[in-house]
Amino acid sequence: MLALRPNCECCDRDLPPEALICSFECTFCIRCAETRLGGHCPNCQGELVRRPIRPAIHLAQNPASGQRVLGACSDPRS
């Protein structure tokens, strides 16, 4: 099951449902994916695709993750 992480691994902004992920579940906002990453994950170089949205009916038993993750592309000045 996808972790559905709450933040962008580059800029640490809270993510809307329309986030992008790679096959290893690295998660990024659209802005970082397009402007900083060129559509590829900086960790595995995999393609970034639209993260699926978990139906509300399943969120109660399978909530999104609250664990924030920052990757190598994060920059405290952004």
Side-chain angles (χ1 to χ4, degrees):
M1 181 178 319
L2 291 174
L4 298 179
R5 295 177 181 153
N7 66 305
C8 174
E9 290 186 34
C10 270
C11 67
D12 198 30
R13 287 185 177 96
D14 291 341
L15 289 173
E18 303 82 28
L20 300 175
I21 62 170
C22 74
S23 64
F24 290 97
E25 297 185 45
C26 301
T27 310
F28 305 95
C29 68
I30 292 173
R31 180 177 152 201
C32 285
E34 292 176 352
T35 62
R36 297 174 73 179
L37 306 176
H40 290 85
C41 177
N43 304 316
C44 71
Q45 284 68 52
E47 176 186 20
L48 295 174
V49 297
R50 185 178 172 272
R51 178 174 69 175
I53 296 172
R54 187 166 296 157
I57 192 169
H58 298 293
L59 281 174
Q61 288 184 299
N62 302 288
S65 173
Q67 180 181 358
R68 298 182 81 84
V69 176
L70 281 175
C73 69
S74 64
D75 182 352
R77 297 170 289 179
S78 38

